[in-house]
Amino acid sequence: MKFSWKAYVRSDAFSSFMSSLMAIVVGLFIGFLVLLVSNPSQAVRGFGAILFGGLTDMKNLGQVFYFATPIIMTGLSFGFANKTGLFNIGAAGQFIVGAYAAVYVGVKWTSLPGHTHWMVALMAALLAGALWGLVPGILKAYFNVNEVIACIMMNYIGMYAVNYMVVKTVFDSLRNQSLRVAATAVIPKAGLDKLFITGNSPSSVNAGIFIAILAGIVIYVVLDKTRFGYELKACGYNRDAARYAGINEKRSIVLSMAIAGALAGLGGALLYLAGAGKSIEVVDVLAIEGFNGIPVALLGLSHPLGILLSGIFVAYLTVGGFNMQLYNFVPQVIEIIIAVIIYFSAFALLLKGFIQAYLKKKDRPLEEAKALAADAGSTEKGGGVE
Amino acid sequence: ACGSPAPAPAPSEEPAGETEAAAEGISDDGTFELALITDIGTIDDKSFNQGSWEGLRDYAVDNGISHKYYQPSEKSTDAYLSAIELAVRGGAKVIVTPGFLFEEPIFIAQDQYPDTHFILIDGVPHNEDYTEFRTEPNVVGVLYAEEQAGFLAGYAAVKDGSRSLGFMGGMAVPAVVRFGYGFVQGAEYAAEELGLAAGDVTINYHYTGGFDATPEVQTLAASWYQSGVDTIFACGGAVGNSVMAAAEQAGAKVVGVDIDQSGESETVITSAMKGLGASVYSTLEAFYAGSFPGGETIVMDASNDGVALPMATSRFESFSQADYDAIFEMLVNDSDGIASSMLKDNDVDSAGAIPTEIVTVTLVN
Amino acid sequence: MNTIYFLVQQTMFFSIPLLIVALGGMFSERSGVVNIALEGIMIVGAFSGILFINTFQAALPGQPILLLAILIAALSGMLISLTHAYASVNMKANQVISGTAINMFAPAFAIYVARMLRTVQQIPFMNQFRIASVPVLGQIPVVGDLFFTNTYLTTYLGFIILVLSWFVLYNTRFGLRLRSCGEHPQAADSVGINVVRIRYAGVLISGALAGIGGLVFVIPTSTNFNATVSGYGFLALAVLIFGQWKPSRILVAAFFFGLMKTIAAAYSGIPFLATLGVPNDVYKMIPYLTTLVVLAFTSKTSQAPKAAGVPYDKGSR
Amino acid sequence: MAYIIEMCNITKEFPGIVANDDITLQLKKGEIHALLGENGAGKSTLMSVLFGLYQPEKGIIKKNGEVVRIENPNDSNRLGIGMVHQHFKLVHNFTVLENIILGAETVAGGRLQTKAAADSVQKLSERYGLKVDIHARIADISVGMQQRVEILKMLYRQNEILIFDEPTAVLTPQEIDELMKIMKELVSEGKTILFITHKLNEIKKVADRCSVLRKGKYIGTVTVADTSMEEMSEMMVGRKVNLMIEKNPAKTGDVIARVQELSIRNRLTHKMVVNNVSFEVRAGEIVCLAGIEGNGQSELVYAITGLLQPDAGTIEMNGEDITHLPIRKRNEKGMSHIPEDRHKHGLVLDFNLGFNLVLQRYFREPFQQSGFLQYDKIYEYADELIGKFDIRSGRGSRTDARSMSGGNQQKAIVAREIDRNPDFLIAVQPTRGLDVGAIEYIHRKLVEERDQGKAILLVSLELDEVMNLSDRILVIYEGEIVASLDPKTVTVQELGLYMAGSKRGELA
Ligand SMILES: Nc1ncnc2c1ncn2[C@@H]1O[C@H](COP(=O)(O)OP(=O)(O)OP(=O)(O)O)[C@@H](O)[C@H]1O
Ligand SMILES: Nc1ncnc2c1ncn2[C@@H]1O[C@H](COP(=O)(O)OP(=O)(O)OP(=O)(O)O)[C@@H](O)[C@H]1O
Ligand SMILES: [Mg+2]
Ligand SMILES: [Mg+2]
């Protein structure tokens, strides 16, 4: 099929995209108002930092990808589960157990050959995350336990378990955090540090961003193009019908949660093996990356490719917000902006309606002609498109 | 945020920045000459970020110099370096970095920004795996003898009549550990002086694992008070707020940390202070006088007024200024090797391993 | 015995806010609007209440200022939940999205405003609210020690809210209508009930209660507020589900959680638990593990309001 | 004669469709006025306008000659208009009483007053013979009783104009008779009734006049006594409809399906819902399982199709024991199932039509290759089925199933199940709520399948359907098969008695 711009503009995907875009514009506008209220003289410069901070130099651009990596993963985790009808609010727990597994392998299994060490660590994270997702999945499928509450519980259990295990196995008591992983466990830079560098300070970006993008593409293909994805979505949309169709819906739920967990767990590994000098702290605080995935997924309309974009966008704002400090603004402005964007993205349905109504109005004469022609042919004009 | 720093004299209610925007005078070209980078905490952490910031701010205000603080985007070496870079871009000549977490970033930054000066509080620059320690002429490290501050607090509490004590540290980071060890040894020293019998003094010893006020900490403190503990040394930023909440319920006592916390609650009988702001202030003075002590590590202890108890605001029953002066003198003079033989963070594995005869230490984990 | 008194008194500090907030969530969800924003609303409520106390504590005596602060917390909670109601009811938005937005917004907002007004983000307050012993009642043996010493007005407020919630839900016209909107809004609409108005009411009540809950949570356990309620909003959500959206069971669930949390935090001060040598982190996990196990056995017949989370659309069939 | 209600030139649009197009409807006081029309003709919409659930774009409503504004059900209630909705509007976990008083509560001192309400509901229920247990929860009572609750709701509000939207679709013949009696009684008391049904014989039985809608337009109003059923159905559809099914005698072959001593216990109440049931279905016959809703037929079908595990007994297909086989295996072995609830089991409403048409085949080649879906093959196949079975929808195979009309949704399911060329087809209420045109179509398809030698188990509550379609009738009552009847010899009345449990037969 040939790509038709006109058809695309009329398509559902386009209205979805436009509605997200409108939410972003509104969010940014309100952010600007907040800046204006708090410090009028610097507002324009501060806003400039938000809009262009991520583009000022190569390092900042690299930082965008670095920050995007973990939130893309937790975003995918949430979005994937969401597409299959599950609400995975347990990414925080899955993320941190994944991080722990990766760090454990990274610190302890130093006898592994250099080029496989980090991969094994990633696998370990994947499995640990999957395990953490599996539990709510099993509880949901076989015991009808609401996954929201099970996930919340697993978040805390994961956090305490990791605190305990870090102290037991990989503790740097001088800093009250996990030990640094061996150099071989650090994800390769893949030349990105040469590209995204300003002066002599390179960005922290690494091959992790490729893994995240790959994960997004894989999830997209699985959900959209495979028989397995068909089953998962069928279960998500209508569990009873899936069962009726002979799909093992319990298995689907369990697998779906496990995959969501694996994605978040992998995200934990990508952050803590990034070689940016980050270690697992022994604190009783849930991993914030787990929750940050939710807005990323929602902004991306839970679509894997949308999540890639929205993850990068949110990271872009984060970098901008960091730079905004130069103009005397508190970085929390960024969080306020993102919250407002998310809030308005909840109106997507309505905005979409407006957009489509507008497009339709433009098309009216055309449509009416078509309808006339169609009426002549068929007796019943069924199947509303809206 | 964490259990170290700040001599701030006034137990002010609104500690940190007064009016940031106003005080942070931007110089005409929109740059900031003096910068501070917070670690994960904020400048109102009632701890080393706050103490250091107050020192920097006071100096800047006194001398009309533009100044500002930056928050890194996350807790990692790279993020700290990015924050340093941002500060440099913002025109910083001197950057204050409070906290041992900056040891590695400063180790790197001292070479990257040879024209910028760094004051590293609570640490010495070294590389990732502790194999290389090096302090360039554009860096000065400042360490504190927290064990002496803790010693003073423990000593005073027992002398004042406390027999059942508690130590509640935030995270088990070196500064906090030193405070705790000193606290135990101070209590032991006082008990010996008083001629108490073995077991007469007990200390519950615990790290909460964070620097935040949480209901869990409040509950734990309440349970200790409930079980007979009369004084808890709350050694870790906002942890103290929860301990104070519990003490108010139980009518018990709290020992504050880092800065004079007597204003926060009636239950605070004294605070184990370390002179963070003062050292930042004086180092900045030295910098502008052209005598930046680059390449050195300064140790702040009793002998240079780096640690103290705020006697003017303390609420002791019997422990007097004279008592305090006497013991402080001993630390300054290192009488009987009292200061030099004190066990520090690396000397024993845990507080339970400190050889005490009278004080019984119960580790809670 | 003292240990028991202590445990009961201490449990209140965990359970009462959980109870109040979960009851708030109940009103929202039973009207048909899922409220995942409880955490954020708690923060807003606590923030405004504490800010109020911080501002006026020198001028007014303890209990009146507490009552006023509760009022302020309730109002601000309602105000923020208004955005949730607008999105979920008028705009027929995805309720999880708007809730998430509020959860994100609240702490950022609290920090931002605190810095604007006070230059620092933590807001300290003097705790002049503790009641060492309630006159007369505190003297009663056992019961007095259990419930009327070392307490706060807010504890009784929690129980008052519980009784009121139960009464309103099951014995009033509003309660009947509220429940019908959460189960079958079309049915409610068809008998002339204004679903929009009822859902607004449900969400606003949840906002008020979550706001109060936030304040009640902070007061006994700290002397300052730092833009966080440590995930208790999410725990309240768990309590709500655990309590099957019913006041009596929510009470049980809130106290179960509270007791578990208390034991986990306080075991080192409780003689027989302290000697067991179980690691601290294990104790901390216990409430969550127990919850999972209990849920596994009790969830077969979940009673979630049928229409909760589904925007009401007059036209839809 | 003056009209009590006049709806004048009502136009109501939904996005993409004019549901009511300039419709005028006039009701005389004290009459039973039938409203007839195909699925989607706009009957429910028109009634919803009258009841205040929808606002029309054009048109006015008059009561007793005066223009009234009806903006919500409160207005209609004030005007004495009540409605029994096509899909009952009852709160499932409320009691009967709570449902009746909802929206019309009496309150004293802030407290709900239920006592007085209970008394007056009790009185109403006795007076009209509408037997209900007012303290039972809706979820626990039968559909018939739920309908009585709906009627009581109107009576409790003292409505004088009563709208019944397809009240008989879910009732047994006896219940229908009872309802008709009640309707007549109500009218005799001076109330006015608007009665929607697809069943012409019912109109014949009770209605005075009948208005017909077609595709949103008003066709006309006739006096029922002067009009034949054929004339009415022609008005409605616009063509002649064959109300009788023509079929040849069955040529039965081997036993395809055999159920032996099957028992099922309810998981919650532990009551036996299916009790020691045995029967067989042969190739080339339609066996009908007749019974009043809730007598175990759903559970029986669930057990046969694998949605539920029986507690005892065996199920065989083509001589093989399939009692414990998973659903997919049963499908693969040649079982097809047109489910009772098309929205719950039959369709994934958020999938498009194409995806729904391969619901049991997506994993087979050519729809899938090495794990990847072959979209072109799926749509190709779907388009073929859409053509073959005349499934109408806006965008063909890409139409969201959710946006399709109920009739076409049902056609899609029938198409899917039949096209799998099963040995054994289980059809549960395949024509529920459909108009005569669609019913005719589905009946023809089922007979065709039978004639091709398929074994068909038909579960139906509609007596006409049972009588017309089946070659053999099994009557199920309280979980037991109480009779095996020959449709050629049994009368409808007799069948009704078996179904109601007042008669038991010999088991063939
Ligand atoms: N809420 C709605 N939104 C969009 N279209 C609607 C809505 N309600 C009804 N319609 C459409 O309006 C038309 C008339 O529907 P209506 O329900 O009134 O038909 P009906 O005559 O009652 O049919 P049936 O016999 O199946 O009950 C149909 O095409 C229907 O799809
Ligand atoms: N919510 C809706 N929005 C838009 N169009 C709708 C909607 N519901 C139905 N339609 C359209 O209206 C037409 C008829 O649908 P409807 O469900 O009323 O048919 P029906 O035969 O009356 O079904 P049923 O027998 O289940 O009531 C369909 O073509 C469908 O596309
Ligand atoms: Mg219809
Ligand atoms: Mg209808």
Side-chain angles (χ1 to χ4, degrees), chain A residues 382-384 386, chain C residues 317, chain D residues 15 17 39-40 86 342 403-407 433-434:
Chain A
E386 348 292 293
Chain C
R317 305 175 291 169
Chain D
I17 190 160
N39 289 128
Q86 183 172 2
R342 56 180 169 251
S403 75
M404 292 168 56
S405 79
L434 299 191

Side-chain angles (χ1 to χ4, degrees), chain C:
Chain C
M1 206 57 206
N2 276 336
T3 307
I4 305 237
Y5 297 148
F6 165 74
L7 275 182
V8 171
Q9 293 166 7
Q10 198 64 40
T11 300
M12 295 292 174
F13 302 150
F14 287 94
S15 302
I16 294 295
L18 283 177
L19 175 70
I20 295 176
V21 178
L23 285 171
M26 179 189 77
F27 277 100
S28 173
E29 304 217 343
R30 288 217 118 179
S31 79
V33 180
V34 166
N35 197 342
I36 199 174
L38 294 174
E39 175 94 1
I41 302 175
M42 278 179 84
I43 291 175
V44 171
F47 173 70
S48 51
I50 298 287
L51 191 62
F52 173 81
I53 294 174
N54 169 285
T55 312
F56 292 97
Q57 58 191 0
L60 290 168
Q63 302 307 339
I65 200 173
L66 176 60
L67 290 176
L68 282 174
I70 287 171
L71 203 67
I72 302 267
L75 286 176
S76 59
M78 281 168 87
L79 207 63
I80 186 82
S81 66
L82 207 57
T83 60
H84 186 49
Y86 179 71
S88 332
V89 181
N90 297 82
M91 302 301 275
K92 307 190 192 342
N94 181 323
Q95 299 167 7
V96 170
I97 304 187
S98 104
T100 303
I102 291 174
N103 284 339
M104 233 184 136
F105 173 80
F109 170 81
I111 293 174
Y112 196 86
V113 175
R115 290 218 180 162
M116 290 248 300
L117 299 180
R118 293 279 189 278
T119 73
V120 294
Q121 76 181 49
Q122 303 190 26
I123 312 251
F125 63 92
M126 280 188 299
N127 185 338
Q128 331 161 6
F129 318 122
R130 195 176 72 91
I131 303 168
S133 176
V134 179
V136 187
L137 294 174
Q139 316 297 314
I140 307 171
V142 187
V143 176
D145 283 324
L146 280 175
F147 300 112
F148 299 104
T149 52
N150 183 24
T151 185
Y152 287 84
L153 222 49
T154 52
T155 300
Y156 309 115
L157 180 70
F159 285 107
I160 293 171
I161 289 175
L162 173 74
V163 172
L164 272 180
S165 300
W166 171 83
F167 180 81
V168 166
L169 197 64
Y170 292 117
N171 289 292
T172 66
R173 167 157 62 193
F174 173 71
L176 188 74
R177 295 182 167 194
L178 183 92
R179 285 184 287 140
S180 73
C181 288
E183 293 294 336
H184 196 338
Q186 285 81 5
D189 195 8
S190 78
V191 292
I193 293 169
N194 188 332
V195 179
V196 169
R197 209 182 302 160
I198 295 277
R199 288 198 166 177
Y200 256 89
V203 176
L204 291 188
I205 292 174
S206 86
L209 292 186
I212 293 174
L215 182 67
V216 168
F217 169 77
V218 172
I219 282 181
T221 55
S222 184
T223 58
N224 72 356
F225 179 67
N226 192 12
T228 173
V229 292
S230 322
Y232 271 67
F234 288 109
L235 276 188
L237 204 61
V239 165
L240 172 64
I241 299 172
F242 201 107
Q244 296 274 301
W245 294 268
K246 294 192 178 83
S248 54
R249 287 190 181 213
I250 288 173
L251 174 74
V252 174
F255 274 81
F256 169 76
F257 261 90
L259 184 64
M260 281 303 184
K261 279 245 145 204
T262 307
I263 290 176
Y267 75 98
S268 64
I270 301 170
F272 79 94
L273 291 176
T275 55
L276 287 181
V278 179
N280 182 249
D281 284 310
V282 173
Y283 274 110
K284 287 179 180 170
M285 272 187 249
I286 285 177
Y288 307 100
L289 281 171
T290 335
T291 306
L292 278 186
V293 173
V294 172
L295 281 174
F297 286 104
T298 56
S299 293
K300 272 287 173 205
T301 54
S302 169
Q303 323 232 333
K306 271 231 170 68
V310 188
Y312 177 58
D313 184 354
K314 245 183 188 309
S316 85
R317 305 175 291 169

Side-chain angles (χ1 to χ4, degrees), chain D residues 49-70:
Chain D
V49 168
L50 179 56
F51 191 59
L53 287 176
Y54 294 151
Q55 297 309 305
E57 274 80 45
K58 278 194 216 105
I60 50 166
I61 300 173
K62 293 186 196 166
K63 184 178 180 203
N64 294 325
E66 279 180 39
V67 176
V68 290
R69 291 179 63 84
I70 308 182

Side-chain angles (χ1 to χ4, degrees), chain B residues 92-129:
Chain B
K93 283 189 186 151
V94 184
I95 299 177
V96 178
T97 55
F100 65 95
L101 290 170
F102 280 100
E103 289 177 337
E104 197 188 326
I106 294 297
F107 182 80
I108 299 168
Q110 62 186 352
D111 300 330
Q112 254 177 15
Y113 308 103
D115 301 334
T116 310
H117 289 73
F118 297 95
I119 302 173
L120 171 57
I121 304 296
D122 255 358
V124 204
H126 62 72
N127 68 347
E128 178 179 341
D129 42 16

Side-chain angles (χ1 to χ4, degrees), chain C residues 317, chain D residues 37-45 47 86-87 165-166 196 198 433:
Chain C
R317 305 175 291 169
Chain D
E38 290 182 278
N39 289 128
K43 306 179 295 290
S44 300
T45 305
M47 292 305 101
Q86 183 172 2
H87 304 284
D165 194 353
E166 283 191 49
I196 300 180
H198 289 295

Side-chain angles (χ1 to χ4, degrees), chain A residues 175-382:
Chain A
R175 293 161 163 156
N176 195 56
Q177 59 187 24
S178 63
L179 291 166
R180 288 290 162 74
V181 298
T184 47
V186 171
I187 299 167
K189 292 283 181 196
L192 292 173
D193 55 340
K194 302 281 182 309
L195 178 59
F196 295 106
I197 187 165
T198 298
N200 57 356
S201 84
S203 149
S204 316
V205 68
N206 57 75
I209 184 68
F210 295 135
I211 297 174
I213 291 173
L214 188 70
I217 294 172
V218 167
I219 291 299
Y220 167 70
V221 170
V222 165
L223 272 179
D224 235 53
K225 307 286 177 207
T226 69
R227 141 190 177 182
F228 178 55
Y230 180 100
E231 290 175 354
L232 292 180
K233 278 190 292 184
C235 291
Y237 290 139
N238 186 348
R239 204 173 152 178
D240 293 304
R243 206 163 114 70
Y244 157 86
I247 296 170
N248 187 336
E249 97 281 13
K250 294 198 162 94
R251 184 176 144 258
S252 288
I253 289 172
V254 173
L255 277 179
S256 181
M257 276 309 293
I259 292 172
L263 288 167
L266 191 58
L270 294 185
L271 182 60
Y272 285 90
L273 299 183
K278 199 166 163 61
S279 302
I280 302 176
E281 280 178 272
V282 183
V283 282
D284 291 356
V285 177
L286 294 175
I288 189 69
E289 292 84 356
F291 293 99
N292 286 345
I294 300 179
V296 168
L298 296 177
L299 191 58
L301 301 172
S302 286
H303 190 289
L305 304 184
I307 291 169
L308 292 181
L309 287 181
S310 70
I312 290 171
F313 174 72
V314 169
Y316 184 83
L317 287 187
T318 310
V319 171
F322 173 68
N323 282 302
M324 208 170 58
Q325 295 190 69
L326 276 182
Y327 308 108
N328 243 342
F329 287 108
V330 185
Q332 269 75 27
V333 175
I334 291 300
E335 280 159 52
I336 294 179
I337 290 177
I338 295 175
V340 173
I341 291 176
I342 300 301
Y343 182 73
F344 281 97
S345 76
F347 296 4
L349 208 70
L350 204 96
L351 289 176
K352 244 170 99 171
F354 283 146
I355 295 169
Q356 280 171 345
Y358 172 74
L359 290 174
K360 225 180 194 151
K361 212 153 135 199
K362 270 179 60 177
D363 289 350
R364 224 298 117 103
L366 195 89
E367 292 262 308
E368 270 169 11
K370 267 200 205 148
L372 272 175
D375 258 2
S378 83
T379 39
E380 183 184 343
K381 189 169 177 291

